[in-house]
């Protein structure tokens, strides 16, 4: 069998994959044992990539309006539209909104076209929403956007502090590496998060801080270290500069972070005792109106203790998307020019010479939130969206939709035909997806790896870089946009990083220059900047010293009685962003089937909100509906909802109608994690669900969510009054049961060969059957009797396995609980040996550990 080495489509861990093509769009996926980022491991999302690469839902040919078009017509239209818009309104009336899910080659070509040939800085990326605060913090501290660590530092660390990172869910393979460091040499794990996440549950110390109080906490830690005489004065003297009055600007004030002295003392003891300390930070730090300050407060602590540039230590911003870093390197942020250069005259001249550019931009462009505001105001008249779904993922998404609806020309390059964003496109361009595209990505630790094509293009899809280059040539830039393949684009990009560099920028890819196609195809994963780019303690500032930055905790927000809750948002373990790919995987859609509103029991009680009922969340920007999960993992006064559901997957569960456009004044990154909101119970008088092989059109006047399951769909329904069942059900042999006392109605529809086509369960006051068994009946020919199908339970009694914990082996929580009890299992390994659960990708290991813990506590109480 022919193994193709490639890199995972999803997160910034950047796991290597050994893919074996097994036929027409069939593939076996294994972790690449030789890839340094994962050494053979893959999480649930990576393991199930094979389920997401079918042609279902793909955009297969260019489209203009609702009509199928051909490439020539579509590309000419896009090129002419840009040229005409620039001619009439100037270069800044045109904008590209791109993505960390593009390859480096795509990004390079888009950036070159906008900044050197259209002549505007208006290219920004969804990485603005993702880690632009970390970028700004690194630049303030080091003079350049350089991540100073690599994953091997995690292997050597004695203390790993996770700030605003649900690592076990969002970077699972890094999490497994952290756990391995704990197993190998007792590394201590601290989690700092307002929510008790599955990551927090596994921590040695969990600091449940108040939202946005990280600056207060890290300042306090540094001040405390000074009191304890743990500051590294020699390092500071030789390698850092401090602003005047730096030390007196700090205070020890754990109360500001919402934690008590004892908790703070425990944290400070760990910090004092363990020089080999990594602070890994993610969206809880970045997505804040003080995100840049949070980054610098973390970096300050490391610099103050001299904990950087040595094995096992450093302030480590972990990136979200597979190529968020590539975008930062190429210059896909509106705030950088290219290849870690800014907009000084000298740097613009340098880029202009290198590109031989006719229309250099004069300065930075608009950052994402401002870009959509300018579209709304009519200042931007042409928008090209590539590999991102802003109608879902931007804050104040209602406004963003209005902006796109007003924009005279919206072009969207995507792999998927129907997304909430393609709904606004005048022109849709089909892009290659993962498994077809071919190029390079950079992961969180600056490691450049190849993504390789497994299959020929779907339909007429083309590579993003190729699409952009086609448009550029049609705008008259033939000479500057002609490459035979992605290898040539990569070579040009590497040459730009090296051009007039002379050691002024750490980002220097001279080593990769001159690779021919064969060399590029054979490229092995490799770091730029080495595994420790600041091992020499020479930073990219003029004096080569790092800078501590005075940062002060933000003012506490004034209480707003109309919106008394703090609104936090984030991710689920098995869904990726707007579900355009993971949503096709039945396995991945088992873990969370609906978007849940997590709320503290006291708040729920005060509001009259019941577990498993619906609740409405309202902010000054919009309203959404969620299923309630009462959870003591939330702090009082704070709620959490996931970002994933869209108009394609729910009637009202779209989260980003809620957050406002407030962003960090330095980085421009939105504060997605600390909005203000009101929560109210949502009254309904019936609830139901439908499992079906074909998804029907769903009405807009009831609550619904739709996820794919093996063999079909699961659609949850809730509302008031009546429901038009006939519109939801397919034709076929129909069996019905009613119970008017409970207002219960059940309908099963079978096909000509007895196969189950749909089953509908509805109740006004009774309960509904569990979902798993009936979903299983969708697969193949169910031998169950009509009465069993109507009951939603097998005629031969079967144990309820509970919610699926291990998606790889389909093991439910009750099965695990019962096995622990019956067989006295004491560890995740023993559960694995008994049930297989947790032995493949390992993403559910933290959940199994939690069940063990609950069982241990219950046993202790019983004794
Ligand atoms: N399963 C899955 N994995 C993913 C993704 C996905 O969509 N699904 N997306 C990828 C991408 S692009 C990204 S950016 C990463 C994101 O990865 P993470 O940053 O780990 O994920 P989030 O859930 O957005 O947020 C992390 C945590 O920040 C906490 N938080 C909120 N406010 C604060 C605060 O004020 N201080 C602190 N210290 N913490 C706070 C939240 O409660 C949350 O638990 O995940 C990547 N990996
Ligand atoms: N409330 C809230 N909102 C958030 C966040 C949060 O934590 N809370 N997190 C933010 C963060 S960190 C991020 S990164 C964003 C992510 O938000 P988005 O970028 O909007 O999310 P995706 O679903 O990943 O969208 C990627 C799109 O690109 C398409 N695509 C995939 N590969 C390719 C390709 O190769 N070429 C092209 N042309 N298209 C492709 C996919 O089909 C999909 O439509 O969301 C942000 N929004
Ligand atoms: S941790 Fe999971 S999603 Fe991230 S790169 Fe690895 S396999 Fe892919
Ligand atoms: Mo992200």
């Amino acid at each position: 069998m022919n193994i193709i080495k490639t890199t995972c489509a999803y997160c910034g861990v950047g796991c290597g994959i050994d893919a074996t093509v097994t036929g027409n769009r069939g593939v076996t996926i294994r972790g690449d044992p030789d890839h340094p980022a994962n050494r053979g491991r893959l999480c649930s999302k990576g393991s199930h990539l094979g389920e997401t690469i079918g042609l279902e839902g793909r955009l297969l040919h260019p489209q203009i309006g609702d009509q199928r078009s051909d490439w020539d017509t579509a590309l000419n239209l896009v090129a002419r539209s840009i040229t005409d818009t620039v001619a009439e309104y100037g270069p800044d009336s045109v904008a590209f909104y791109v993505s960390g899910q593009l390859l480096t080659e795509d990004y390079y070509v888009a950036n070159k076209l906008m900044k050197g040939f259209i002549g505007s800085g208006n290219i920004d990326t969804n990485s603005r929403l993702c880690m632009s605060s970390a970028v700004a913090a690194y630049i303030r501290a080091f003079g350049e956007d350089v991540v100073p660590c690599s994953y091997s530092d995690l292997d050597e660390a004695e203390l790993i502090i996770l700030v605003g990172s649900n690592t076990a869910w969002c970077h699972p393979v890094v999490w497994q590496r952290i756990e391995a460091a704990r197993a190998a040499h007792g590394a201590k794990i601290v989690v700092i998060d307002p929510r008790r996440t599955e990551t927090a549950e596994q921590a040695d110390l969990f600091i449940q801080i108040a939202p946005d109080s990280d600056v207060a906490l890290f300042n306090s830690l540094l001040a405390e270290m000074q009191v304890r005489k743990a500051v590294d004065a020699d390092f500071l003297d030789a390698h850092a500069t401090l602003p005047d009055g730096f030390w007196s600007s700090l205070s020890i004030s754990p109360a500001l972070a919402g934690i008590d002295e004892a908790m703070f003392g425990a944290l400070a003891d760990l910090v004092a005792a363990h020089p080999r300390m990594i602070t890994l930070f993610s969206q809880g730090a970045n997505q804040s109106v003080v995100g840049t300050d949070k980054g610098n407060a973390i970096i300050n602590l490391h610099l103050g203790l001299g904990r950087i540039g040595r094995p096992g230590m450093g302030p480590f911003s972990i990136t979200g998307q597979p190529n968020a870093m590539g975008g930062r390197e190429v210059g896909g942020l509106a705030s950088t020019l290219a290849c870690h250069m800014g907009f000084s005259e000298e740097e613009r001249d340098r880029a202009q010479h290198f590109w031989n550019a006719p229309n250099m931009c004069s300065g930075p462009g608009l950052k994402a939130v401002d870009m959509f505001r300018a579209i709304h105001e009519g200042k931007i008249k042409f928008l090209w969206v590539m590999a991102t779904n802003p109608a879902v993922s931007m804050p104040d998404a209602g406004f963003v939709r209005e902006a796109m609806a007003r924009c005279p020309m919206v072009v969207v390059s995507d792999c998927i035909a129907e997304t909430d964003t393609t709904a606004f496109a005048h022109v849709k361009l089909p892009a290659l997806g993962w498994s077809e595209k071919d190029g390079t990505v950079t992961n969180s630790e600056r490691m450049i790896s190849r993504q390789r094509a497994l299959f020929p293009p779907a339909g007429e899809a083309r590579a993003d870089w190729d699409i952009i280059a086609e448009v550029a040539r049609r705008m008259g830039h033939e000479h500057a946009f002609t490459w035979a393949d992605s290898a040539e684009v990569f070579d040009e990009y590497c040459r730009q990083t090296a051009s007039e560099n002379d050691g002024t920028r750490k980002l220097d890819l001279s080593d990769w220059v001159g690779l021919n196609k064969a060399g590029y195809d054979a490229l092995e994963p490799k770091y730029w900047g080495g595994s420790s780019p600041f091992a020499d303690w020479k930073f990219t500032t003029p004096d080569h010293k790092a800078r501590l930055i005075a940062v002060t905790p933000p003012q506490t927000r004034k209480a707003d009685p109309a919106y008394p809750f703090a609104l936090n948002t984030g991710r689920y373990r098995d869904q990726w962003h707007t579900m355009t790919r993971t949503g096709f995987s039945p396995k991945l859609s088992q873990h969370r089937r609906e978007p849940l509103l997590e709320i503290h029991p006291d708040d729920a009680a005060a509001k009259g909100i019941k577990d498993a009922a619906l609740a409405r969340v309202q902010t000054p920007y919009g309203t959404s509906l969620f299923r309630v999960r009462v959870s003591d993992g939330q702090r009082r006064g704070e709620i959490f909802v996931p970002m994933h559901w869209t108009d394609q997957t729910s009637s009202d569960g779209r989260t980003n109608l809620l957050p406002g456009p407030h962003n960090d004044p330095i980085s421009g990154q939105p504060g997605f994690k600390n909005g203000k909101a009101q929560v109210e119970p949502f009254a309904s008088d019936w609830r139901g669900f439908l499992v079906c092989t074909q998804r029907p059109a769903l009405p807009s006047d009831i609550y619904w969510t739709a996820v794919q399951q093996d063999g079909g769909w699961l659609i949850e329904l809730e509302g008031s009054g009546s429901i038009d069942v006939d519109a939801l059900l397919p034709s076929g042999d129909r069996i019905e049961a009613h119970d008017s006392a409970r207002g219960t109605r059940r309908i099963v529809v079978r096909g000509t060969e007895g196969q189950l086509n749909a089953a509908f369960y509805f109740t006004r006051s009774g309960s509904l059957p569990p979902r798993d068994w009936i979903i299983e009946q969708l697969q193949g020919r169910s031998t169950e009797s009509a009465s069993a199908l109507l009951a939603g339970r097998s005629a031969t009694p079967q144990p309820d396995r509970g919610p699926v914990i291990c998606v790889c082996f389909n093991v439910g929580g009750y099965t695990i609980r019962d096995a622990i009890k019956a067989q006295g299992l004491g560890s995740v390994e023993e559960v694995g040996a008994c049930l297989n659960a947790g032995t493949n990708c390992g993403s559910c290991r933290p959940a199994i550990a939690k069940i063990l813990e609950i069982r241990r506590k219950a046993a202790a109480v019983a004794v």
Side-chain angles (χ1 to χ4, degrees):
M1 282 295 211
N2 185 15
I3 292 178
I4 300 174
K5 287 196 181 290
T6 185
T7 313
C8 178
Y10 299 116
C11 85
V13 177
C15 296
I17 284 178
D18 281 351
T20 313
V21 174
T22 55
N24 181 24
R25 296 195 80 86
V27 66
T28 313
I29 302 280
R30 297 255 177 286
D32 175 357
D34 303 325
H35 198 292
N38 58 317
R39 298 181 195 138
R41 298 186 188 111
L42 292 178
C43 79
S44 50
K45 293 183 297 303
S47 305
H48 293 98
L49 267 166
E51 290 188 356
T52 64
I53 51 178
L55 295 183
E56 191 184 349
R58 284 290 297 266
L59 178 61
L60 295 172
H61 44 74
Q63 237 173 282
I64 298 177
D66 289 337
Q67 301 298 310
R68 175 173 182 164
S69 179
D70 59 81
W71 273 112
D72 221 34
T73 313
L75 293 166
N76 281 335
L77 174 62
V78 174
R80 199 173 57 242
S81 177
I82 298 178
T83 308
D84 291 352
T85 309
V86 170
E88 196 166 346
Y89 303 101
D92 290 333
S93 62
V94 171
F96 294 171
Y97 183 56
V98 301
S99 158
Q101 291 167 73
L102 293 173
L103 300 172
T104 298
E105 292 75 7
D106 307 323
Y107 247 131
Y108 175 80
V109 176
N111 191 53
K112 177 177 176 180
L113 175 59
M114 181 54 81
K115 292 190 181 134
F117 292 75
I118 293 174
S120 168
N122 282 345
I123 170 169
D124 208 34
T125 143
N126 63 358
S127 295
R128 181 70 56 200
L129 319 180
C130 185
M131 30 44 7
S132 57
S133 295
V135 172
Y138 281 145
I139 293 175
R140 286 208 292 190
F142 308 145
E144 186 179 353
D145 173 22
V146 179
V147 174
C149 309
S150 54
Y151 299 148
S152 59
D153 288 316
L154 294 169
D155 307 337
E156 298 188 45
E158 305 166 307
L159 173 62
I160 299 168
I161 303 179
L162 304 172
V163 185
S165 164
N166 189 2
T167 329
W169 280 15
C170 295
H171 297 97
V173 168
V174 156
W175 172 252
Q176 290 178 20
R177 206 152 166 170
I178 291 172
E179 280 195 314
R182 166 150 73 184
H185 60 261
K188 292 276 181 287
I189 303 171
V190 176
V191 170
I192 302 175
D193 196 308
R195 257 181 351 128
R196 197 177 68 237
T197 59
E198 232 168 60
T199 311
E201 258 149 15
Q202 303 304 307
D204 297 291
L205 182 64
F206 169 41
I207 310 270
Q208 191 162 23
I209 59 163
D212 277 344
S213 66
D214 307 72
V215 173
L217 182 62
F218 277 83
N219 279 358
S220 298
L221 276 174
L222 185 50
E224 173 75 17
M225 291 306 120
Q226 199 205 18
V227 171
R228 296 189 187 196
K229 309 225 171 325
V231 163
D232 186 340
D234 294 342
F235 175 87
L236 287 177
D237 275 353
H239 304 292
T241 53
L242 287 81
D244 289 344
F246 178 79
W247 293 109
S248 57
S249 73
L250 304 177
S251 66
I252 303 176
S253 43
L256 279 183
I259 61 169
D260 61 24
E261 302 281 342
M263 181 68 86
F264 180 69
L267 175 61
D269 289 348
L270 281 175
V271 171
H274 298 295
R276 281 190 281 132
M277 168 179 113
I278 300 261
T279 309
L280 190 85
F281 60 106
S282 187
Q283 300 314 339
N286 298 335
Q287 283 174 346
S288 160
V289 294
V290 292
T292 308
D293 283 356
K294 289 189 190 186
N296 284 109
I298 292 167
I299 299 169
N300 285 346
L301 178 65
H302 278 267
L303 293 174
L305 302 176
R307 294 183 185 172
I308 190 166
R310 292 290 174 267
M313 52 180 73
F316 193 170
S317 145
I318 190 162
T319 52
Q321 299 174 88
N323 199 32
M325 288 286 266
R328 280 152 71 165
E329 291 153 9
V330 158
L333 290 160
S335 41
T336 54
L337 175 59
C339 305
H340 285 192
M341 291 182 286
F343 293 90
S344 71
E345 186 141 355
E346 193 193 336
E347 288 163 310
R348 283 192 301 118
D349 281 351
R350 197 186 292 149
Q352 200 252 317
H353 290 150
F354 182 80
W355 285 332
N356 197 10
N359 301 308
M360 274 308 289
C361 61
S362 55
L366 294 175
K367 299 177 180 130
V369 171
D370 296 335
M371 182 183 276
F372 282 93
R373 191 173 300 127
I375 297 168
H376 201 271
E377 287 168 357
K379 292 181 184 147
I380 289 174
K381 298 181 186 295
F382 171 100
L383 173 69
W384 191 349
V385 178
M386 306 177 203
T388 175
N389 196 355
V392 183
S393 57
M394 282 289 291
D396 200 2
F399 177 89
V400 163
R401 286 173 185 226
E402 255 173 49
M404 286 195 284
R406 289 178 179 193
C407 187
M409 185 63 162
V410 178
V411 180
V412 178
S413 300
D414 207 293
C415 326
I416 300 295
E418 308 291 330
T419 73
D420 289 11
T421 299
T422 60
F424 294 91
H426 301 98
V427 180
K428 293 196 235 179
L429 302 175
L432 296 182
W434 186 86
S435 80
E436 297 150 16
K437 56 188 192 173
D438 189 73
T440 55
V441 290
T442 311
N443 74 359
S444 289
E445 50 163 359
R446 290 168 289 94
M447 182 167 282
I448 298 181
S449 299
R450 288 280 272 108
Q451 259 188 28
R452 293 185 173 88
L454 313 177
F455 304 116
E460 295 175 17
R462 294 175 70 164
D464 286 288
W465 69 264
D466 181 31
I467 300 171
I468 307 158
E470 279 278 9
V471 168
R473 290 201 292 274
R474 284 156 205 262
M475 291 169 61
H477 307 305
E478 291 83 359
H479 299 298
F481 288 85
T482 302
W483 300 277
D485 48 36
S486 51
E488 289 188 9
V489 181
F490 184 71
D491 189 62
E492 182 177 314
Y493 158 59
C494 293
R495 285 191 292 107
Q496 188 174 29
T497 67
S499 130
E500 298 176 53
N501 188 320
D502 305 323
T504 54
R505 290 164 273 141
K506 294 260 178 196
L507 177 69
D508 182 343
L509 306 184
S510 307
D511 284 3
W512 283 268
V513 169
L515 282 179
N516 55 19
K517 174 91 170 76
Y520 178 79
D521 283 342
L523 201 68
E524 300 272 346
K526 187 172 137 182
Y527 297 110
W528 66 261
S531 63
S532 183
F534 295 128
D536 57 0
W537 285 338
K538 278 204 167 59
F539 299 91
T540 318
T541 49
D543 59 4
H544 298 303
K545 290 183 171 185
R547 294 180 289 232
L548 284 85
I549 307 291
V551 288
T552 44
Q555 301 281 318
T556 350
R557 194 163 64 200
K558 265 213 325 270
D560 182 343
Y563 301 104
F565 287 90
L567 173 69
N568 183 3
T569 64
R571 294 166 165 74
Y572 282 163
R573 188 186 82 193
D574 290 349
Q575 289 297 349
W576 178 261
H577 296 162
T578 70
M579 298 166 76
T580 62
R581 286 171 291 164
T582 44
F584 287 113
S585 163
K587 290 265 190 205
L588 295 178
S589 296
Q590 293 184 60
H591 177 245
R592 290 283 183 276
R593 285 167 171 160
E594 271 179 290
L596 303 176
L597 166 79
E598 288 168 58
I599 183 166
H600 190 276
D602 293 352
D603 292 330
K607 280 281 171 190
I609 289 174
K610 299 226 158 32
D611 193 53
L614 293 180
R616 186 206 304 273
V617 179
Q618 191 167 356
T619 73
Y621 306 92
T623 303
S624 299
L625 270 185
F626 303 92
R627 179 90 37 214
V628 173
R629 173 171 284 186
V630 175
S631 161
D632 64 3
Q634 287 294 123
R635 284 162 43 102
R636 286 179 189 78
E638 295 169 22
I639 53 172
F640 178 85
V641 286
M643 65 173 287
H644 305 293
W645 272 259
T646 67
D647 280 356
Q648 319 291 318
T649 48
S650 75
S651 58
D652 297 273
R654 203 149 51 75
T655 289
N656 278 8
L657 288 171
L658 305 171
H662 316 289
N663 52 42
D664 179 292
I666 303 159
S667 68
Q669 180 155 356
F672 279 125
K673 300 277 189 260
N674 188 12
K676 52 179 193 172
Q678 180 58 288
V679 191
E680 301 290 355
F682 179 81
S684 65
D685 57 27
W686 57 262
R687 182 163 181 205
F689 73 91
L690 172 71
V691 298
C692 47
T693 48
Q694 300 291 323
R695 182 180 154 163
L698 292 158
S700 58
D701 57 346
I702 59 170
Y703 168 91
W704 58 261
T705 58
V707 290
Q708 290 225 12
Q709 302 287 302
D710 263 327
W713 291 82
L714 168 65
I715 297 164
E716 295 287 338
L717 303 156
E718 187 159 336
S720 292
S722 61
I723 174 171
D724 180 3
V725 186
D726 294 326
L728 295 177
L729 293 175
S731 56
D733 171 19
R734 213 160 136 162
I735 319 158
E736 275 199 57
H738 287 268
D739 171 350
S740 41
R742 291 209 195 86
T744 299
R745 190 170 176 200
R746 297 178 170 192
I747 305 174
V748 166
V749 182
R750 290 198 284 193
T752 44
E753 291 173 28
Q755 77 278 18
L756 181 65
N757 283 347
F760 171 74
Y761 303 86
F762 172 96
T763 185
R764 291 194 188 272
S765 60
S767 58
L768 294 167
R771 314 296 189 260
D772 293 293
W773 180 81
I774 191 75
I775 291 166
E776 276 167 22
Q777 308 313 308
L778 282 178
Q779 301 150 41
R781 188 173 170 172
S782 174
T783 52
E784 296 287 342
S785 66
S787 60
L789 292 172
L790 282 174
R793 285 185 177 82
S794 175
T796 32
Q798 288 180 337
D800 181 0
R801 68 178 176 187
V804 173
I805 300 286
C806 170
V807 296
C808 295
F809 294 108
N810 243 330
V811 187
Y814 299 164
T815 312
I816 296 173
R817 181 195 62 192
D818 297 344
I820 292 171
K821 204 165 154 185
Q823 309 193 33
L825 308 176
S827 68
V828 175
E829 283 66 34
E830 285 174 19
V831 171
C834 176
L835 300 169
N836 277 336
T839 57
N840 182 39
C841 75
S843 286
C844 63
R845 290 171 56 94
I848 297 173
K850 183 176 173 181
I851 299 173
L852 280 161
E853 186 57 31
I854 292 170
R855 175 73 204 139
R856 245 190 303 275
K857 282 192 184 140
V861 170
V863 167

